[in-house]
Amino acid sequence: MAATGVLPFVRGVDFSRNDFNVIKFPHNVEDMTSLRWLRLARTQITEVPKEVEKLKKLDLSHNKLKEVPPDLENAKSVLVLNLAHNEIEMLPNQLFINLLDLFFVDLSDNVLETLPPQLRRLTSLQTLILNNNPLIHAQLRQLPALTSLQTLHMKNTQRTLANFPTGLDALTNLQDIDLSYNDLPRVPEALYKLSSLRRLNLCNNQISELSLMIDVWTKLETLNLSRNQLIAMPTSLHKLVSLRKLYVNSNQLDFDGIPPNVGKLHDLEIFSAADNNLEMIPEGLCRCGKLKKLILNKNRLITLPDILHLLPELETLDVRENPDLVMPPKPAELRKAAEYYNIDFSLNNQLRLAGAAPQPAAGEQSTPHKDPIARKLRLRRRRDGQESEKVLKGMREVAKEKAAHENSKDEVEREPVKPKRWDEHLTRPQLDYREIFDEAVGQIPGLTSWEIENFLPNIVEEALVGKFYEADCYIVLKTFIDETNSLDWQIWYWIGEKATLDKKACAAIHAVNLRNLLGANCRTIRVEMNDEDDDFFDLFENGIAYIEGGRTASGFFTVEDTEYETKLYKATGTQSVHMERCPADVSSLDYRHVFLLDTGLKLFVWVGKTSKGVTKTKTRLISEKINKNERKNKAEIFVLPQGQETAEFWRLVGGPPPSLVVKESEQSGFGLIEPRLYRVELGKGYLNLPQVEIPKAKLVQRLLDTKCVYILDCNSDVFVWIGKKSTRLIRAAALKLSQELYSMMERPKYASVSRCLEGGEQQIFKTKFVGWDDVLPVDYTRTAESVIRRGADLKVIMERDKMKTDLSALFMPRQPGMSADEAETLASEWNEDLDGMESFVLEGKKFVRLPEEELGVFYSDDSYVFLCRYWVPVDLPEGEEEDEEDPPEDEYKCIVYFWQGRTASNMGWLTFTFSLQKKFAALFQDKLEVVRQHQQQENLKFLSHFKRKFVIRTGKRPMKTPNTETVKPSTEFFQLRANGSPIATRCVQIAPASASLLNSCFCYILMVPFDSEDMHGIVYVWVGMKADHDEAKLAEQIAYMMYKDEYTIQMINEGEEPENFFWVGIGGQRPYDHDSEFMKYCRLFRCSNEKGYFTVSEKCADFCQDDLADDDVMILDNGEQVFLWVGKKTSDVEIKLAFKSAQVYIQHIRIKQPERPRKLLLAMKYKEHKRFTKCFHGWGKYKEVLK
């Protein structure tokens, strides 16, 4: 490429990572007459370029130099010299005789054994780095002569007390010293005299103690003493008042080794004491208010000070590998519930959503603390009369303000209500114009102009203001100070005769945007070419000038036939595919790789026989993106496996190979060239071209700044990336520099330069970066209908409608139990309305009438039908009286109750539906109602008809037939219990029988069978010590109802059990409960999201085991513990939200019932604890659905 004339303005360039051992050093450097710095790190260079004489900064690091280049002695102007990471054994004496103005020298990571004595001549030297050199025999007597020295690094230079440089205390300007990785048994005395030290690194030595003289280091900010043998820190540590970072890792410090006055280090930000013997830390350390990092891992910590939680700026607390550590509790005021799944689970927020008043924290007092002394002082002031006068004065002012407010209110009411103007209803949209105009626009009086390019305004340079191209449009802003000494503005937009439609429209639009940004009250004035008014001409002192043609590009696509260059890329990699340019020739093909041939409107993906399928798929995806983003979907894509190539493909790559066999390519042996990313910097009359440090040699998108311009050099491809907010001058300079950089280095003939605008990058450019992908994250759980209804942007959806929750049931009071009188009244009303009840039971495949003696006894394997006829009294109209001789006939209603046992199949319901229900429907027609009920989920109206004698037995009802074999009876154990209401009293059989199920507050029935033919067994009615007397009578009546003449029925009280039959029949004596307090507090909540949002609902007080839904989470409160019951089919989201809800419930209960704190426990299905199961009447095996 031809010379661009930009090289004389280049002040510095970074040629790092260019292998000048293979390619020649660019001769174009000779044209950089203003060159002042040059970086040649990792370039394998052996000779210094001639231009070194005028350089100010020279970097020759990482080049494996055996000796200092001879020409370097001539670089008398060099101020910064970097020779680090080489293999230099000796420095020539002449080097420091000529280079006297050096102020930075880096000689680290070489094999230097001594330094030349001429080093003492560098009186201006400020930084000297000697790390990782075997200077064991060097006394370094030259150092005291370097009076300007501020930074001295001697890491791993085999320093001992014997060869430590003497007279170092004379360097009063020393601020940074690194003596790490040496063999120092103690801190050299000279360091205690350096009062200007700011950073001191003494890690990895043999130091066992520090002197009290460290109080001299009052300016020290960083102190590293890690990996030494320290037992204690000196008590004068608190005098290092500027200390910010303290590292004492891997020592032998214990609690006494850290002085308690460490809390006086008010600026301390980092304290790292890992791998020590600390059992505690001084409380004073937690008084360092600016502490941000506290590293205490690998110690013997038992606890930490309570005030640790009060450190306001603490960001990192590392206490790993302290097995005995117990963290102090966090103060109540710091326990804030964070948002979870976009839901705020804090107690006050959930109370607010439920419509309740927020609760104060536990222990808070609503009444303020009274101060008796302040009260006496107030009384004295009142005696003096001052307080009363103030009160009266305040009352008068309040009265005046109130009267004035009422008068103004009356005037407002008397004023007629005027309708709003049409423009008052309009609201200005909240637009962000900062991406279009600079934030400082219109703040300085003067004239500013913009030209429209690609739909956006670009500011015009001052020298070009007033010169208008006939094919462009412009915006002109005049900023001036008005009569009130305030800024004011006038805005014009100028339309050229040959301007395109997009420029005209955008000029008008952005003129209005500019007015809105400034908040100006002026109008935007349209000015056309050859029709300008005098006011517009007066803006320009030198008048205006028309220029033919157009300066800016139109935003519209122009219909032109684009000429495409044929390019061949080799695809490598699997996780991220790298596209490497190679010659478009058949010799480049390799059967181990995938290649992409780009001819413009045709894209060929050639797949080698042994190439990886992932690479093939991703290369095809890249070609799809090229077609969509760069070719407007006009290109055709062909996938050609090896052996299936077309004639057109062979023609484009120069013909098929000999014998049509593709072998290994000679070019495949070369490794990938490491990319180099240059940032173009523009100063006052000069250019800099530094390289951007690439972390781990992998390009990432965040390295690109929208305000800058970059040149990416990939050897075969050179890209110029232009940020949206970069200036015009730096763009022009970058384009010229890219051409110069392209021609400087030796490149293949097929190499090219491409320009990339931010937001419109080529796909090949994106493949150079790791993780730069255009694929948008997609929520595959959403449907097309939901996207149409709610939109596609998940962030907008989350902000618009926060996830709805309903936890109000947790804050409702527990439903009070029904009293005996209320239950009796309600049951009598229902039974009075009952005209008759017919009962049926399923036997085989049909329903038969239930014998009268079995009424009220249900079996869990059976299904029952009860036909109840109710009288419905007729309501007379108002004013009419009932005729005694001819009273109106009462109407009736029939309700059919279908009762299904827990272990009964659904065949009973199907049989009823197709048999009895049809007959009943034909008889009663519209007066019939069918109610299906499951075991222990019956309604109170149905239960009231059995008058508390409702027995549920396990198994199937015995059928009395002549051929029925006599089944040997087994032990039967029943519990009588009422849940929530005396009407909901049931006597439920519990299997297996166990003495641990007894409770002193209930009554039980135990039948122990005999082998005798005359007597079938004995029945015990066990009455608990705290059981209700009426329930004891009811249990006796139920026992006589279930067991007839062949059984002996015996009433026994708790503590009077016979040893022979009772305890033997129940399985022996075992401990059991003696109270039923849980019945007063027991509550069951269901957590589900079946409504489309998360909701918590409470089950009624008469709940049972079957209410535990397998696909939901349940919360059970028994007054002592709160259980979180998790079903087998519950989703993870429901579990997490239910857990947060249970925590909120416990916080609420802690305030409502502080005398009964609850603990949160987990109850998994099939693994419930007795404290959980005792809340359910008749707990047994779960009802399993047959698969």
Side-chain angles (χ1 to χ4, degrees):
M1 294 186 179
T4 60
V6 75
L7 292 182
F9 300 97
V10 176
R11 178 171 289 190
V13 63
D14 187 350
F15 284 128
S16 300
R17 291 185 289 275
N18 284 286
D19 192 353
F20 292 132
N21 194 23
V22 177
I23 60 177
K24 295 181 180 179
F25 186 80
H27 63 87
N28 309 62
V29 178
E30 298 177 357
D31 299 330
M32 300 180 186
T33 55
S34 301
L35 193 66
R36 291 296 176 267
W37 64 268
L38 183 64
R39 190 160 185 236
L40 300 172
R42 294 183 177 90
T43 57
Q44 308 298 325
I45 196 169
T46 56
E47 297 180 359
V48 177
K50 299 177 181 179
E51 294 74 20
V52 73
E53 298 179 1
K54 55 187 176 182
L55 293 180
K56 297 290 185 181
K57 178 180 177 182
L58 180 61
D59 185 352
L60 295 173
S61 60
H62 298 87
N63 281 303
K64 298 182 180 179
L65 293 174
K66 299 289 185 181
E67 59 182 12
V68 178
D71 294 337
L72 187 59
E73 299 174 359
N74 300 325
K76 298 181 180 181
S77 300
V78 171
L79 301 178
V80 177
L81 178 62
N82 188 352
L83 295 172
H85 294 276
N86 284 289
E87 299 174 4
I88 300 174
E89 298 179 357
M90 185 181 65
L91 297 176
N93 295 337
Q94 194 68 26
L95 181 66
F96 295 132
I97 294 177
N98 296 339
L99 278 63
L100 297 178
D101 296 330
L102 287 171
F103 70 84
F104 180 95
V105 175
D106 188 352
L107 300 172
S108 60
D109 293 277
N110 282 283
V111 287
L112 296 172
E113 294 184 357
T114 184
L115 296 178
Q118 288 77 11
L119 181 67
R120 68 178 73 247
R121 299 168 61 90
L122 305 181
T123 55
S124 301
L125 190 65
Q126 297 180 7
T127 301
L128 178 61
I129 302 177
L130 303 171
N131 298 334
N132 302 316
N133 279 288
L135 297 170
I136 185 171
H137 300 298
Q139 296 292 330
L140 303 179
R141 293 190 178 93
Q142 309 94 323
L143 295 183
L146 308 178
T147 55
S148 301
L149 198 63
Q150 298 179 4
T151 301
L152 176 61
H153 288 185
M154 294 187 291
K155 172 185 174 182
N156 191 21
T157 55
Q158 303 182 22
R159 294 297 92 195
T160 61
L161 294 179
N163 61 15
F164 192 81
T166 58
L168 199 65
D169 53 344
L171 303 178
T172 57
N173 294 319
L174 263 182
Q175 298 180 6
D176 185 355
I177 296 181
D178 188 351
L179 293 171
S180 58
Y181 292 89
N182 285 289
D183 297 321
L184 296 173
R186 65 176 185 271
V187 179
E189 298 294 332
L191 297 185
Y192 290 124
K193 301 178 182 179
L194 297 174
S195 59
S196 60
L197 275 182
R198 295 184 181 274
R199 181 181 179 273
L200 179 60
N201 189 355
L202 295 170
C203 68
N204 295 83
N205 280 282
Q206 306 296 325
I207 300 173
S208 57
E209 63 177 350
L210 288 178
S211 171
L212 295 174
M213 293 189 293
I214 65 171
D215 56 358
V216 177
W217 302 334
T218 56
K219 298 181 180 179
L220 193 66
E221 296 179 359
T222 303
L223 177 60
N224 191 348
L225 297 167
S226 301
R227 291 173 291 281
N228 279 285
Q229 300 177 8
L230 292 173
I231 300 177
M233 298 293 292
T235 55
S236 58
L237 180 66
H238 69 283
K239 295 186 179 180
L240 309 183
V241 293
S242 301
L243 194 64
R244 296 180 181 273
K245 301 176 183 179
L246 177 60
Y247 302 92
V248 288
N249 303 320
S250 302
N251 281 283
Q252 302 174 19
L253 298 174
D254 55 10
F255 176 74
D256 297 328
I258 302 177
N261 55 14
V262 70
K264 295 182 179 180
L265 300 176
H266 300 297
D267 292 333
L268 190 65
E269 297 177 358
I270 299 176
F271 180 81
S272 183
D275 194 13
N276 279 280
N277 300 323
L278 295 172
E279 295 181 350
M280 287 186 64
I281 60 173
E283 186 173 333
L285 183 62
C286 299
R287 301 188 185 279
C288 300
K290 295 184 180 179
L291 197 64
K292 294 181 179 179
K293 290 186 179 181
L294 182 59
I295 313 298
L296 300 171
N297 58 306
K298 292 185 180 180
N299 276 282
R300 303 175 183 176
L301 292 174
I302 300 175
T303 186
L304 294 173
D306 293 342
I307 63 173
L308 176 70
H309 296 294
L310 302 179
L311 287 172
E313 300 183 15
L314 188 64
E315 298 173 355
T316 303
L317 174 62
D318 190 352
V319 290
R320 294 172 298 168
E321 300 185 49
N322 287 282
D324 300 327
L325 175 63
V326 178
M327 289 295 293
K330 187 177 291 188
E333 59 271 13
L334 299 180
R335 299 174 189 169
K336 297 181 180 178
E339 288 194 0
Y340 200 79
Y341 277 90
N342 206 26
I343 303 171
D344 186 359
F345 276 98
S346 61
L347 176 59
N348 283 338
N349 181 69
Q350 291 299 330
L351 284 172
R352 179 181 58 80
L353 294 177
Q359 295 290 342
E364 287 188 3
Q365 295 182 358
S366 58
T367 58
H369 180 69
K370 296 181 179 180
D371 188 355
I373 298 177
R375 182 173 178 271
K376 291 180 179 178
L377 293 175
R378 287 196 299 271
L379 290 174
R380 289 177 183 175
R381 286 196 296 268
R382 287 182 182 178
R383 290 193 189 114
D384 297 338
Q386 299 176 359
E387 190 74 9
S388 58
E389 290 180 2
K390 292 180 180 179
V391 172
L392 291 173
K393 182 180 179 181
M395 291 174 65
R396 294 190 195 99
E397 292 177 355
V398 170
K400 290 180 181 179
E401 292 177 0
K402 187 175 180 181
H405 177 69
E406 290 179 353
N407 294 335
S408 62
K409 185 176 180 181
D410 294 338
E411 293 177 0
V412 172
E413 291 178 355
R414 286 192 294 268
E415 292 181 358
V417 179
K418 297 181 180 179
K420 289 186 178 181
R421 286 168 46 87
W422 64 272
D423 54 352
E424 293 178 359
H425 290 280
L426 300 177
T427 57
R428 180 176 297 175
Q430 297 296 325
L431 299 178
D432 189 3
Y433 305 106
R434 289 176 295 179
E435 296 183 0
I436 303 174
F437 296 101
D438 189 19
E439 294 182 2
V441 64
Q443 303 303 314
I444 300 175
L447 201 64
T448 311
S449 180
W450 292 266
E451 58 187 354
I452 304 300
E453 181 179 10
N454 286 329
F455 306 120
L456 293 173
N458 292 330
I459 196 164
V460 178
E461 302 170 20
E462 292 184 8
L464 299 178
V465 173
K467 298 177 181 180
F468 300 104
Y469 285 80
E470 61 183 7
D472 290 336
C473 293
Y474 296 83
I475 300 173
V476 180
L477 170 67
K478 179 184 178 182
T479 306
F480 61 94
I481 298 176
D482 61 7
E483 299 174 353
T484 60
N485 289 329
S486 301
L487 288 175
D488 202 353
W489 303 273
Q490 289 181 337
I491 302 173
W492 291 265
Y493 59 98
W494 185 89
I495 307 297
E497 277 186 349
K498 299 181 181 180
T500 57
L501 181 60
D502 64 313
K503 294 183 181 180
K504 296 178 181 179
C506 291
I509 293 171
H510 291 307
V512 176
N513 290 341
L514 178 61
R515 183 188 66 182
N516 294 341
L517 174 64
L518 298 173
N521 296 322
C522 64
R523 296 175 56 194
T524 56
I525 305 172
R526 175 186 174 100
V527 179
E528 295 186 3
M529 181 176 174
N530 297 320
D531 193 22
E532 298 87 352
D533 55 11
D534 294 337
D535 293 337
F536 187 75
F537 280 116
D538 293 341
L539 296 174
F540 308 96
E541 296 179 358
N542 300 323
I544 64 175
Y546 299 144
I547 303 176
E548 294 184 0
R551 172 182 166 87
T552 61
S554 170
F556 291 149
F557 290 110
T558 56
V559 182
E560 295 179 359
D561 294 333
T562 307
E563 294 184 2
Y564 297 99
E565 180 185 0
T566 301
K567 299 178 181 179
L568 183 65
Y569 297 93
K570 181 177 70 174
T572 55
T574 53
Q575 291 185 351
S576 58
V577 176
H578 181 82
M579 307 298 291
E580 185 69 20
R581 180 87 178 270
C582 53
D585 188 79
V586 67
S587 60
S588 302
L589 299 180
D590 193 321
Y591 66 87
R592 299 171 299 173
H593 299 289
V594 179
F595 289 82
L596 173 62
L597 180 64
D598 182 6
T599 64
L601 297 180
K602 289 186 179 181
L603 300 170
F604 298 90
V605 179
W606 187 86
V607 184
K609 283 185 178 179
T610 60
S611 61
K612 296 182 179 180
V614 177
T615 309
K616 167 197 168 184
T617 304
K618 293 191 174 183
T619 307
R620 171 61 193 265
L621 181 60
I622 290 173
S623 63
E624 293 282 358
K625 292 179 179 178
I626 292 174
N627 179 32
K628 179 181 178 181
N629 299 331
E630 302 174 28
R631 311 292 155 81
K632 305 174 189 177
N633 283 329
K634 293 182 179 180
E636 297 181 77
I637 300 175
F638 303 93
V639 179
L640 304 177
Q642 184 177 350
Q644 300 179 17
E645 298 86 354
T646 62
E648 183 182 8
F649 174 79
W650 289 130
R651 180 178 56 81
L652 291 170
V653 295
S659 304
L660 296 176
V661 178
V662 177
K663 301 180 180 179
E664 292 186 11
S665 174
E666 297 179 358
Q667 299 179 3
S668 62
F670 298 101
L672 296 176
I673 298 178
E674 185 178 350
R676 295 168 296 281
L677 184 63
Y678 299 89
R679 183 177 65 248
V680 181
E681 295 180 353
L682 180 63
K684 294 183 179 180
Y686 63 87
L687 290 168
N688 282 329
L689 198 61
Q691 285 193 31
V692 178
E693 190 67 28
I694 302 175
K696 300 180 181 180
K698 293 182 179 180
L699 287 168
V700 288
Q701 188 178 359
R702 66 172 180 272
L703 295 176
L704 304 177
D705 187 358
T706 185
K707 297 180 180 179
C708 301
V709 178
Y710 298 85
I711 300 175
L712 178 61
D713 187 357
C714 301
N715 192 35
S716 59
D717 282 308
V718 178
F719 300 94
V720 183
W721 186 87
I722 301 174
K724 287 183 178 180
K725 297 183 180 180
S726 59
T727 61
R728 181 183 296 277
L729 286 177
I730 200 169
R731 293 183 185 186
L735 291 174
K736 293 181 179 181
L737 275 177
S738 65
Q739 297 174 9
E740 295 290 352
L741 189 64
Y742 175 87
S743 59
M744 279 183 191
M745 307 296 177
E746 294 182 5
R747 303 182 189 275
K749 296 180 180 180
Y750 53 83
S752 60
V753 180
S754 303
R755 187 179 72 159
C756 300
L757 296 176
E758 183 181 3
E761 297 87 355
Q762 298 98 321
Q763 196 61 38
I764 299 300
F765 176 80
K766 294 178 182 178
T767 60
K768 308 294 182 183
F769 292 76
V770 177
W772 192 333
D773 200 350
D774 296 331
V775 178
L776 297 176
V778 179
D779 182 5
Y780 291 99
T781 63
R782 303 184 65 199
T783 61
E785 292 79 7
S786 65
V787 172
I788 294 173
R789 186 177 67 254
R790 307 183 66 197
D793 195 340
L794 293 178
K795 292 183 178 179
V796 174
I797 295 172
M798 293 290 285
E799 289 297 327
R800 185 179 62 228
D801 48 356
K802 297 276 187 178
M803 187 180 291
K804 183 181 178 183
T805 58
D806 183 8
L807 309 185
S808 57
L810 297 175
F811 312 117
M812 299 295 289
R814 183 177 183 270
Q815 182 182 357
M818 187 181 296
S819 63
D821 295 338
E822 185 181 357
E824 184 178 358
T825 303
L826 193 60
S828 61
E829 291 178 358
W830 284 332
N831 287 320
E832 286 176 1
D833 295 338
L834 180 65
D835 183 49
M837 182 171 68
E838 298 182 36
S839 53
F840 305 86
V841 65
L842 182 66
E843 284 188 0
K845 296 182 180 180
K846 63 179 181 178
F847 282 91
V848 299
R849 289 191 178 273
L850 184 69
E852 188 69 25
E853 63 272 11
E854 294 185 25
L855 184 63
V857 180
F858 299 81
Y859 287 84
S860 61
D861 283 355
D862 289 328
S863 298
Y864 296 82
V865 174
F866 297 88
L867 174 61
C868 299
R869 178 186 172 98
Y870 296 97
W871 291 113
V872 180
V874 178
D875 294 333
L876 295 175
E878 294 184 3
E880 293 188 12
E881 296 182 359
E882 183 179 351
D883 190 357
E884 296 180 359
E885 296 180 358
D886 189 13
E889 293 185 2
D890 290 337
E891 296 183 359
Y892 68 92
K893 181 180 181 181
C894 292
I895 298 179
V896 177
Y897 296 101
F898 178 87
W899 188 93
Q900 182 175 338
R902 172 178 296 164
T903 53
S905 67
N906 289 326
M907 187 57 65
W909 172 251
L910 295 175
T911 304
F912 165 74
T913 303
F914 292 103
S915 59
L916 277 183
Q917 185 175 358
K918 289 186 176 181
K919 294 180 181 179
F920 293 153
L923 289 174
F924 305 110
Q925 297 178 0
D926 59 339
K927 296 183 179 180
L928 181 69
E929 181 184 353
V930 178
V931 179
R932 186 180 183 183
Q933 300 187 122
H934 294 272
Q935 178 180 328
Q936 290 182 262
Q937 294 177 337
E938 305 87 359
N939 60 36
L940 294 180
K941 187 173 184 178
F942 175 73
L943 292 173
S944 66
H945 300 328
F946 298 92
K947 300 176 181 178
R948 303 182 68 187
K949 296 179 182 179
F950 196 93
V951 181
I952 300 177
R953 308 183 70 130
T954 59
K956 194 164 185 66
R957 171 176 170 268
M959 299 178 63
K960 297 180 181 179
T961 58
N963 298 328
T964 303
E965 296 181 2
T966 305
V967 180
K968 184 178 180 180
S970 59
T971 303
E972 296 177 347
F973 186 52
F974 298 84
Q975 181 189 19
L976 183 68
R977 175 170 154 182
N979 293 327
S981 170
I983 301 177
T985 301
R986 300 179 185 86
C987 186
V988 182
Q989 184 175 354
I990 305 174
S994 174
S996 62
L997 301 176
L998 294 173
N999 190 304
S1000 302
C1001 300
F1002 301 108
C1003 297
Y1004 297 82
I1005 298 175
L1006 175 66
M1007 189 279 289
V1008 182
F1010 291 162
D1011 292 336
S1012 173
E1013 295 181 358
D1014 298 335
M1015 188 65 64
H1016 290 175
I1018 185 171
V1019 178
Y1020 294 102
V1021 179
W1022 187 88
V1023 181
M1025 191 179 301
K1026 302 178 183 178
D1028 184 66
H1029 180 67
D1030 293 338
E1031 287 190 359
K1033 289 183 178 180
L1034 181 61
E1036 183 181 11
Q1037 295 173 9
I1038 293 174
Y1040 279 103
M1041 181 183 74
M1042 289 193 298
Y1043 302 101
K1044 305 298 181 182
D1045 300 335
E1046 294 84 3
Y1047 294 90
T1048 301
I1049 297 176
Q1050 182 179 350
M1051 296 281 294
I1052 57 174
N1053 294 321
E1054 182 182 1
E1056 301 175 358
E1057 302 87 358
E1059 294 288 342
N1060 50 358
F1061 291 113
F1062 183 84
W1063 293 119
V1064 172
I1066 206 171
Q1069 295 190 31
R1070 292 184 183 180
Y1072 56 85
D1073 294 336
H1074 296 280
D1075 66 82
S1076 62
E1077 285 294 310
F1078 66 90
M1079 294 291 290
K1080 300 178 182 178
Y1081 301 96
C1082 210
R1083 302 180 72 179
L1084 181 66
F1085 300 94
R1086 178 192 178 199
C1087 305
S1088 175
N1089 56 8
E1090 65 178 5
K1091 294 182 179 180
Y1093 59 91
F1094 184 75
T1095 180
V1096 178
S1097 57
E1098 183 176 6
K1099 293 286 184 179
C1100 62
D1102 187 21
F1103 57 81
C1104 67
Q1105 183 179 354
D1106 291 340
D1107 288 322
L1108 300 175
D1110 201 25
D1111 55 352
D1112 289 325
V1113 182
M1114 313 298 289
I1115 299 176
L1116 177 70
D1117 180 11
N1118 67 359
E1120 296 179 353
Q1121 298 91 15
V1122 174
F1123 291 92
L1124 195 69
W1125 184 89
V1126 181
K1128 292 295 183 181
K1129 301 178 182 178
T1130 310
S1131 67
D1132 292 340
V1133 175
E1134 284 181 329
I1135 294 174
K1136 294 174 182 177
L1137 296 182
F1139 172 69
K1140 286 292 182 180
S1141 302
Q1143 290 181 324
V1144 172
Y1145 176 74
I1146 291 176
Q1147 294 177 17
H1148 177 66
I1149 289 297
R1150 189 179 293 121
I1151 296 172
K1152 291 293 184 181
Q1153 301 174 9
E1155 72 283 356
R1156 298 186 68 87
R1158 267 73 151 181
K1159 290 184 178 180
L1160 182 60
L1161 302 177
L1162 177 65
M1164 299 297 293
K1165 188 177 182 180
Y1166 305 115
K1167 299 179 181 179
E1168 296 87 355
H1169 193 270
K1170 182 186 175 183
R1171 290 175 294 184
F1172 180 88
T1173 59
K1174 70 180 181 180
C1175 299
F1176 298 85
H1177 188 193
W1179 182 273
K1181 294 182 179 180
Y1182 279 99
K1183 178 181 178 180
E1184 302 293 345
V1185 179
L1186 296 177
K1187 297 182 179 179

